[in-house]
Structure formats: structure tokens, C-alpha cells
Amino acid sequence: MLTATYSLATLSAEQKNTRSILFKLQQHIKSILYDLHNLNRNCVENVLVKLEQFEEYCHRRKVEIYVIPAIRKVTHEADPILEELESLSFKAVGILRALREQLINAFEQGMIEVNKVCSSIEQYCGNLMKRLTKEEDELLPMARGLLPIEEWFNIASKLLSEEGSKKSLPPAIAQLPA
């Protein structure tokens, strides 16, 4: 059971770090997007690049790489939660794609369209926060009870081997102001 505790503690720390990064990213976005005097296409493009990098980072998290596949392998009991998480993930990717398309013409069409882009960015962040909350409040507690000790051992060994080769954040995300 020690391996499960270690794994859950590591996953919890990663979730906390992801929330912290998302919070910093949201603050950074607000400071850029709501300074209407200096708002330009490059500013919004920069925000979108950071969001795309953060999305990529989210898909490399341990919960996505190790826990979700382990749960899928062991049981179908968590399928409704996994389907909801997958739906939230697809929605986030869809929002980012739509943002990229919206951005192409937003500045030519005026501030109403730029404001729609800003609203979509807020929607993306809210969607991601909802996913993180669902993972923390429902998926991880469920995983604790569903996964057998052997599976927790496998996850813990992968986490330990990964610890030596820490994955870093994309430079644009890592350089966000504290």
C-alpha cells in the first residue's frame, strides 16, 4: 500500500502544480488581454501559443500517461468519469482550434470579435479547471480503490524512473511571472 500512497502523493503534487501554473497563466492572460490600449494581434497570438503549450503539457501529466490507462486496463467501473474527462479534453482542444480560427480575422472585424476571442480563452481555462477538479475529486479517489497493488507498484516504479529525468515545462510557460 506504500506504493499507492507514494503514487497518489506524487499525482497530487502534480495536480497542485498544474493548478498553480493554470492560475499564473490566467493572471498573465488577464494582464495582457484586458489592457485594451496595448492589445494587438501579437499579444493574443502569444497567449494562444502559451495555451497550446499548456495543453500539450497537460496531456503529458502522469494521471494521463499512467493512471487513466491503468484504470482502463483493470476495470470499466470508471468509464463514465473517464468519458467525461475525455469529453472535457476534446472540448478544450476544440476551443483552442476555434481560437486559432477566430484570431485570423478578429482584429480586422473589430473589438467585438476580439472580445469573443477573450471569452473563448476564459472558457478554455474554465474547462481545464473543471477537468482538474474532476480528476482530483472523483478519478484519483476512485483509482485508489479500483487499482490493485500490483498496478500501483507498476505506476510507482514508472514515477520513480521518471523522477531522474524530470520533464520540464515549455519555456514560455515556465517563464510566467510568479
Side-chain angles (χ1 to χ4, degrees), residues 94-132:
I95 291 170
L96 287 178
R97 277 195 200 114
L99 273 167
R100 181 64 66 193
E101 292 172 17
Q102 283 177 314
L103 183 60
I104 292 170
N105 297 318
F107 282 90
E108 288 79 26
Q109 294 177 356
M111 284 312 290
I112 291 175
E113 291 302 313
V114 173
N115 285 332
K116 285 182 185 178
V117 169
C118 295
S119 293
S120 293
I121 289 171
E122 289 174 349
Q123 182 184 9
Y124 168 81
C125 292
N127 183 75
L128 187 55
M129 190 59 75
K130 186 176 181 181
R131 179 183 167 99
L132 292 172

Side-chain angles (χ1 to χ4, degrees), residues 20-75:
S20 174
I21 295 166
L22 180 59
F23 179 75
K24 288 177 189 175
L25 188 55
Q26 285 177 301
Q27 297 306 313
H28 179 70
I29 289 168
K30 284 180 183 177
S31 72
I32 289 172
L33 296 184
Y34 296 103
D35 182 7
L36 296 178
H37 298 293
N38 294 319
L39 187 62
N40 61 48
R41 185 183 186 95
N42 288 339
C43 289
V44 178
E45 181 77 30
N46 183 31
V47 166
L48 189 52
V49 166
K50 287 181 193 288
L51 290 175
E52 290 168 340
Q53 289 173 336
F54 186 67
E55 183 68 23
E56 182 182 318
Y57 163 76
C58 286
H59 290 289
R60 292 189 336 246
R61 292 175 306 129
K62 293 165 183 67
V63 72
E64 291 230 6
I65 294 173
Y66 303 125
V67 177
I68 290 175
I71 291 172
R72 286 188 196 277
K73 184 173 84 174
V74 170
T75 183

Side-chain angles (χ1 to χ4, degrees), residues 81 84 132-143:
I81 291 173
E84 188 174 348
L132 292 172
T133 299
K134 186 157 268 313
E135 287 173 355
E136 290 169 10
D137 294 348
E138 296 179 42
L139 182 69
L140 292 178
M142 183 180 277

Side-chain angles (χ1 to χ4, degrees), residues 11-19 61 63 132 135-136:
L11 293 166
S12 178
E14 182 181 59
Q15 290 290 99
K16 184 178 178 183
N17 185 49
T18 303
R19 276 186 182 275
R61 292 175 306 129
V63 72
L132 292 172
E135 287 173 355
E136 290 169 10

